[in-house]
Amino acid sequence: MRPSERHLRMRLLDAVDEDRRDVDVLLTALQQAVTEVHGLGGMVHLPGAGMSGILYLVADSGLPESMTRPWLIIPVRGTAPPGKAARDDTVIWQPDLAPPDPLPGRGPAAPWPSRLTAGVGHLAVPIPSGGRRRGALSVLFAPGAEPGAAEREFLNEVAAWMSGRLRSSGILDPSPTLLRALENGPGPRGSAAPRDAERVPSFTYTWDLYTGELTSDLPVEEVLAGIDPEVMRGGIEAWAELIHPDDLPGAVAGFDTGIQMRGGFQGEYRIRRQDGTYLWIEARARTITDEQGTPVKVIGTIRDSSETHAAAESVGRALRHMSDGFVSLDTDWRIGFLNHAAERLLGGAGDVVGALLWDIPAVRAVPELEQRCRATAAEGRPAGFDVPGPDGRSWYHLRLVPVPEGLTLYITDTTERHLREVERVAAERAAAERAALVQRITRELAEAVTVQDVMAAVADGVMAPLGATGFIMLGVAGDRLTVVGSRGYPERFTRLLDGRWTVRDTTNPAGDALSTRTPLYISSPEEFLKHYPETEILIRNSGKQAWAFLPLAVSGRGIGAAVISFGRPRVLDDDERTLLTALSGLIAQALERAGLYDEATTRARTLQRSLLPQALPELPQVTAAARYQPAKQGADVGGDWYDVIPLSAARVALVIGDVMGHGMAEAATMGALRTAVRTLSELELPPDEILSRLNDIVGELGTDAFATCLYGIYDPVTRRLSYASAGQPPPAVAHPDGTVTFLAMAPDPPLGVAAPPFETLETLLPADSLLALYSDGLVESKDRDVTSGMSRLAELLTQSVNALPAAPADASDLDALCATLTSALLPAYGALVDDAALLLARTHPLDADDVAEWPLPEDPVAAGQARDLVRAQLAHWGIADEDLIMTTELLVSELVGNVIRHACGPIRLRMLRSRALICEVSDASLTTPHIRHTSATDEGGRGLQLISALCQRWGTRHTRTGKSIWTEQPLPTTP
């Protein structure tokens, strides 16, 4: 198990909505746990608010009902792994799955599956909660597949996550009695636990043996509801009057014995409420003597034990009437209790109660029973074995369970099992084959990601072993059953079936199976038509002769149905039906996971698309195309991005970057960096300063945030590319003659760990050069290093660049080249381990005739000269729009006038004809002009307001020798 995968699972669990029910939360976590460790299925046991020492099954995944029923209620102090894990606060591994111990005095909750494959492993980890054990998370494993340390650590993480979610919800909290049993075990008989430790309401009393006076630390009515609050004032006589007449002799005898023995004593009896009803109380006390040893006081505690007494009576009734024999033995091996089933074997209770077990004739016939019983008591662990009956024909299973008061003996009639021993051997062989099939399908379903993956895994795993000729997966869409996928059916039939049946309509077999949650097996078309006459047209068009309809349900919610069909009439035997019943649960969980994956993937891809450019700008100086390929990392998105940003003076910024890692946080970081790059580009900063600002942003995100980035500016006038890099691989340049080179790079580390300043490099690009910017995921993989990948990229560019038009009118050719390069460099989508981004840009320099530049004198006459130069140049370019000419003259005149008045020379005027008409006035000052508000009496300050109103865009760009103020105006459209 890779840490990244485990981290992904936990991130998915953290994304579970807080308002989901606890059962849904537990089931989601359990499904993730079973899937991640490749288990067969799993269970979650938690204590409830009822009887102490009990764990309840609250969630299960991947297991058929026949297997989960024996685990519905189990004792905490049994030998089963969930109880031991919760009790001992440790991970428990059992290499051979065994049935849980029954509750004391009860038989098994349900029969143990007789055809269960041997060697199924059982791993249980405790679910913690504030220092006490809350329950246990269990996962079953295929024979021989013992989980390693990584799997155990992951299950502990899931258990801790469950505990946190349950603790925050406040639901399913265990009872105080159960918490005490889980933490400390049962205390010694007769000991009075402190009130705070027991967390059971009680009060402490003192009985003065000389005066008969009774005192207590709490009002009696606060602990014993309905009791006369004045009873303590009446002393011991008033208290004795409240004791039930039937219980009074025993209570008095207990107190007398305790006082005479100068020791502690304990009793349970009923006392009368004010309304005439009775409640059970438990009284514990000890005798206090003076220096001569004479009893002077009795000090003790009293608590309400009505609930415990009622539970004990209920357990006693259940023990007496349960089908298996039950015998309770004291520490001297004498029979203290036996139920009706045991009486039929050992004799009537009146004859055997109080007798030694070994003296019973039926017991003496059991070989070595006494030795086994004594050995079990000495070891303190339950043991079981089979013995023949006295008649020589019957067989019984005896289970011996040590308890603090002695030993309990469970007697189960296993005659039928032994009589079918030969049949069972053959059945076990068939079960092993089925288990192997289930294991294979389970593994394939665990690896299935999409709904179609689930469909293919089931069809491939089930059809051939069963000899089936058709398979259809139906999903619930609203109240209709729609066809998710099919195998072995013509398309016209699936179109006929799609949406024809409703979920709650029991007149169709799929709806009937879903409503009863029971698989339906139909052995012939006649049987099909008899039970579902409205399906005649489907029977006729299907071409099948027998069917199995498996309901697919998760957490009691129907999500679809699986239909397996056969080309001839057939009756499925019990083993085949058991197999299909087990598979239905696995299919349902896999289908549910796949649906969640498809939904999460859709959301993730939507987020990814929204964070990347929706479309690259169409610019005359750069023709660009890009391609992004996400990694196959579940529903996580990556952090690769690219951008093309138009700048002033017809320049273009080319950007590519990569935020390390996968996930929503990395995608958000990528979106923040891309936004920051566009914002900083508006400030006309050079590449090195752009990266310095980005480095500050990444550094503020934390020590585990890293990103790489390359930022370049292409100037079509000078044909120069200025660029700076932070950890990105060098761009490739394909020259018009087909040669490919990689740009020189400064060894700057990634953003987040770099130490500015960054280094800005420049290179001269030939006209119509092809520039390739890419992330490392394009050239590096598990089978290829970066150097080899760059060499392969150069080869592909050399082969492809000559086939491109010299100056394409749009980016379609480059887009096709992007597809060619990514398909050749990247593996199949399912094998891609890292995101990959590619940005191709073909550069087009401005024609010399589209650039005009003049020096201007540092004199007020420069404004007039500028107007004349502008009018002449526009006439040279064939621009006759008088409004545009006059506006341009006014803009240039205002810009030159501002320089004369507020800045210093030398002054230069430059005009560019590109996607817009660009005018620039440069000077040697570093002062940046700003628009300001003016009053009606101000003589100046309106120049920039006028410029902003007349042009489409304007701004200031700092240069090596000063600054340039530029304006852009739309060119007139060509008729």
Side-chain angles (χ1 to χ4, degrees):
M1 180 191 303
R2 292 187 299 178
S4 60
E5 295 176 350
R6 187 175 70 195
H7 179 66
L8 170 62
R9 294 284 183 189
M10 299 309 299
R11 289 288 297 273
L12 288 175
L13 289 180
D14 290 338
V16 174
D17 294 337
E18 292 290 342
D19 58 354
R20 292 187 69 180
R21 298 180 306 138
D22 279 298
V23 173
D24 294 336
V25 170
L26 289 175
L27 184 59
T28 299
L30 180 60
Q31 290 173 346
Q32 293 291 337
V34 172
T35 300
E36 182 65 22
V37 301
H38 301 293
L40 298 176
M43 301 176 288
V44 175
H45 284 86
L46 290 179
M51 298 173 59
S52 63
I54 302 299
L55 291 179
Y56 297 91
L57 179 65
V58 298
D60 64 273
S61 174
L63 302 176
E65 183 178 357
S66 61
M67 183 174 290
T68 57
R69 287 191 62 84
W71 297 92
L72 292 177
I73 305 176
I74 63 173
V76 173
R77 299 204 164 270
T79 59
K84 294 180 69 176
R87 182 177 72 247
D88 300 335
D89 190 18
T90 186
V91 178
I92 301 298
W93 167 248
Q94 187 180 60
D96 197 354
L97 179 66
D101 299 324
L103 297 179
R106 300 188 185 182
W112 188 248
S114 61
R115 296 181 176 87
L116 186 65
T117 302
V120 173
H122 189 172
L123 182 73
V125 300
I127 300 178
S129 178
R132 297 182 176 91
R133 308 322 323 149
R134 185 179 271 237
L137 163 65
S138 299
V139 177
L140 304 186
F141 291 85
E146 180 175 354
E151 286 79 4
R152 298 183 185 215
E153 181 181 355
F154 173 72
L155 292 178
N156 271 319
E157 290 186 28
V158 175
W161 184 88
M162 289 180 176
S163 172
R165 288 299 296 264
L166 291 176
R167 181 166 58 248
S168 64
S169 70
I171 301 175
L172 294 176
D173 280 338
S175 65
T177 303
L178 183 54
L179 282 176
R180 186 179 69 257
L182 286 172
E183 182 176 14
N184 303 319
R189 294 178 59 86
S191 62
R195 181 172 178 266
D196 290 340
E198 280 196 340
R199 296 180 61 188
V200 176
S202 65
F203 66 85
T204 301
Y205 70 90
T206 302
W207 172 18
D208 191 317
L209 295 178
Y210 288 120
T211 65
E213 179 183 3
L214 288 175
T215 58
S216 62
D217 63 337
L218 293 174
V220 66
E221 66 273 14
E222 289 187 9
V223 178
L224 306 177
I227 299 301
D228 183 3
E230 302 295 327
V231 65
M232 301 301 284
R233 295 184 181 180
I236 192 65
E237 293 79 12
W239 184 265
E241 290 180 1
L242 297 182
I243 301 176
H244 193 285
D246 294 343
D247 300 338
L248 184 60
V252 172
F255 277 102
D256 288 344
T257 301
I259 294 172
Q260 292 173 8
M261 300 299 295
R262 272 73 165 170
F265 51 93
Q266 173 181 341
E268 190 176 28
Y269 51 86
R270 290 165 289 178
I271 60 174
R272 187 178 66 253
R273 298 187 180 94
Q274 288 179 292
D275 60 1
T277 61
Y278 286 86
L279 61 83
W280 284 91
I281 67 169
E282 179 182 291
R284 300 180 180 182
R286 58 186 177 90
T287 305
I288 305 299
T289 61
D290 57 15
E291 295 180 355
Q292 289 75 34
T294 303
V296 294
K297 291 183 181 180
V298 172
I299 297 177
T301 61
I302 291 179
R303 72 177 182 90
D304 187 342
S305 64
S306 299
E307 181 179 352
T308 305
H309 190 83
E313 290 182 346
S314 175
V315 170
R317 288 193 299 270
L319 287 174
R320 186 170 297 279
H321 296 285
M322 71 184 205
S323 58
D324 289 347
F326 176 81
V327 181
S328 176
L329 304 171
D330 62 17
T331 55
D332 296 325
W333 304 101
R334 296 185 179 277
I335 297 176
F337 172 84
L338 73 168
N339 65 357
H340 296 322
E343 287 182 7
R344 289 193 291 269
L345 297 173
L346 306 182
D351 299 328
V352 300
V353 170
L356 281 172
L357 180 65
W358 332 118
D359 294 340
I360 306 300
V363 174
R364 286 200 299 268
V366 180
E368 301 181 355
L369 179 61
E370 180 177 357
Q371 294 87 333
R372 294 190 179 187
C373 288
R374 293 186 183 277
T376 299
E379 294 177 0
R381 295 186 298 179
F385 48 88
D386 292 339
V387 297
D391 56 6
R393 298 187 303 273
S394 58
W395 282 83
Y396 297 92
H397 180 76
L398 305 185
R399 182 166 177 80
L400 309 173
V401 180
V403 295
E405 297 82 7
L407 196 75
T408 57
L409 173 64
Y410 297 87
I411 308 172
T412 304
D413 189 340
T414 60
T415 302
E416 183 179 357
R417 184 186 67 188
H418 282 269
L419 292 177
R420 298 184 311 181
E421 183 65 28
V422 176
E423 297 178 6
R424 186 168 65 252
V425 171
E428 287 179 352
R429 185 181 303 110
E433 296 174 355
R434 291 195 305 274
L437 176 61
V438 171
Q439 181 179 356
R440 185 174 69 253
I441 297 177
T442 300
R443 182 175 60 253
E444 293 174 354
L445 288 176
E447 296 172 355
V449 176
T450 66
V451 172
Q452 292 305 316
D453 291 343
V454 174
M455 167 70 198
V458 178
D460 294 340
V462 173
M463 290 180 64
L466 294 181
T469 60
F471 178 73
I472 292 181
M473 186 88 74
L474 300 175
V476 174
D479 63 343
R480 293 281 172 180
L481 289 170
T482 59
V483 176
V484 174
S486 67
R487 183 81 63 84
Y489 282 93
E491 185 178 354
R492 65 178 184 278
F493 176 78
T494 57
R495 288 199 303 267
L496 179 65
L497 180 61
D498 192 27
R500 187 181 187 91
W501 290 339
T502 59
V503 177
R504 295 178 179 83
D505 184 9
T506 58
T507 62
N508 69 79
D512 197 1
L514 273 174
S515 64
T516 61
R517 298 291 191 271
T518 304
L520 295 179
Y521 304 100
I522 302 175
S523 59
S524 66
E526 293 77 18
E527 182 183 353
F528 202 140
L529 193 59
K530 176 182 176 181
H531 291 93
Y532 307 100
E534 297 180 3
T535 60
E536 179 179 2
I537 187 173
L538 294 175
I539 299 174
R540 187 170 60 252
N541 285 274
S542 69
K544 308 301 179 183
Q545 301 291 308
W547 299 263
F549 290 86
L550 308 179
L552 304 180
V554 176
S555 302
R557 175 173 53 87
I559 63 171
V563 185
I564 302 170
S565 54
F566 304 86
R568 56 180 177 81
R570 179 178 176 185
V571 177
L572 297 174
D573 60 31
D574 292 341
D575 292 340
E576 291 171 328
R577 296 187 179 195
T578 300
L579 171 64
L580 293 178
T581 300
L583 288 178
S584 65
L586 297 175
I587 298 170
Q589 294 164 35
L591 189 63
E592 175 79 354
R593 290 195 307 270
L596 294 174
Y597 171 84
D598 288 344
E599 181 182 349
T601 300
T602 300
R603 291 197 303 268
R605 297 303 173 231
T606 301
L607 172 63
Q608 184 72 46
R609 288 192 298 270
S610 67
L611 294 176
L612 291 173
Q614 301 302 306
L616 296 179
E618 296 182 6
L619 304 173
Q621 284 70 50
V622 170
T623 304
R627 184 63 56 95
Y628 168 78
Q629 186 67 48
K632 184 66 164 57
Q633 296 282 349
D636 275 354
V637 293
D640 290 19
W641 93 95
Y642 55 84
D643 214 341
V644 176
I645 307 170
L647 303 176
S648 64
R651 298 171 309 140
V652 179
L654 303 173
V655 191
I656 193 163
D658 181 6
V659 178
M660 298 183 185
H662 294 86
M664 293 297 182
E666 286 74 11
T669 301
M670 178 266 278
L673 292 180
R674 178 170 175 259
T675 302
V677 167
R678 297 191 69 89
T679 302
L680 294 172
S681 297
E682 291 293 329
L683 300 178
E684 302 280 3
L685 297 178
D688 58 330
E689 292 192 27
I690 293 281
L691 293 188
S692 295
R693 304 287 180 90
L694 293 180
N695 186 66
D696 294 339
I697 294 174
V698 176
E700 293 174 356
L701 298 177
T703 58
D704 57 347
F706 305 102
T708 61
C709 181
L710 185 142
Y711 186 92
I713 299 177
Y714 173 67
D715 189 339
V717 177
T718 63
R719 294 189 290 113
R720 289 192 172 275
L721 176 70
S722 302
Y723 60 95
S725 174
Q728 275 291 125
V733 179
H735 298 265
D737 61 1
T739 59
V740 175
T741 60
F742 289 93
L743 297 182
M745 297 290 286
D748 286 322
L751 302 174
V753 294
F758 293 89
E759 183 178 357
T760 297
L761 302 175
E762 284 192 359
T763 186
L764 183 65
L765 296 179
D768 296 325
S769 296
L770 180 63
L771 193 63
L773 284 67
Y774 53 92
S775 63
D776 58 355
L778 183 73
V779 294
E780 184 180 20
S781 67
K782 60 182 181 180
D783 301 321
R784 183 179 60 206
D785 58 25
V786 175
T787 303
S788 300
M790 292 172 58
S791 299
R792 178 58 177 157
L793 173 61
E795 293 175 6
L796 294 171
L797 285 173
T798 301
Q799 296 169 7
S800 304
V801 72
N802 291 327
L804 290 175
D810 54 41
S812 59
D813 295 312
L814 289 185
D815 191 67
L817 179 56
C818 281
T820 300
L821 294 176
T822 54
S823 62
L825 289 168
L826 299 178
Y829 172 64
L832 188 60
V833 297
D834 192 12
D835 296 4
L838 172 64
L839 175 61
L840 296 181
R842 170 156 279 184
T843 61
H844 311 295
L846 274 178
D847 191 275
D849 189 55
D850 292 328
V851 181
E853 185 173 6
W854 308 274
L856 296 176
E858 296 182 51
D859 188 271
V861 299
Q865 293 180 13
R867 288 193 296 270
D868 295 338
L869 292 171
V870 164
R871 179 173 289 273
Q873 186 62 40
L874 292 179
H876 174 70
W877 284 338
I879 299 176
D881 187 335
E882 189 61 30
D883 289 339
L884 177 60
I885 295 173
M886 294 181 62
T887 300
T888 307
E889 288 179 335
L890 183 56
L891 288 172
V892 171
S893 177
E894 186 63 34
L895 291 176
V896 173
N898 283 341
V899 172
I900 298 297
R901 183 176 181 181
H902 301 291
C904 59
I907 306 173
R908 298 191 67 84
L909 170 64
R910 187 169 73 161
M911 297 180 65
L912 306 177
R913 181 175 61 171
S914 180
R915 65 179 182 274
L917 177 60
I918 303 170
C919 296
E920 292 184 347
V921 174
S922 303
D923 59 62
S925 172
L926 297 177
T927 304
T928 302
H930 297 284
I931 296 178
R932 63 184 179 87
H933 295 284
T934 58
S935 64
T937 59
D938 288 342
E939 295 183 0
R942 298 180 179 83
L944 292 181
Q945 295 180 7
L946 180 63
I947 291 172
S948 178
L950 292 177
C951 66
Q952 189 177 50
R953 295 175 60 216
W954 75 279
T956 303
R957 179 178 72 257
H958 288 280
T959 65
R960 292 189 179 92
T961 60
K963 70 173 183 298
S964 291
I965 304 177
W966 53 269
T967 64
E968 286 189 7
Q969 301 173 83
L971 289 168
T973 56
T974 303

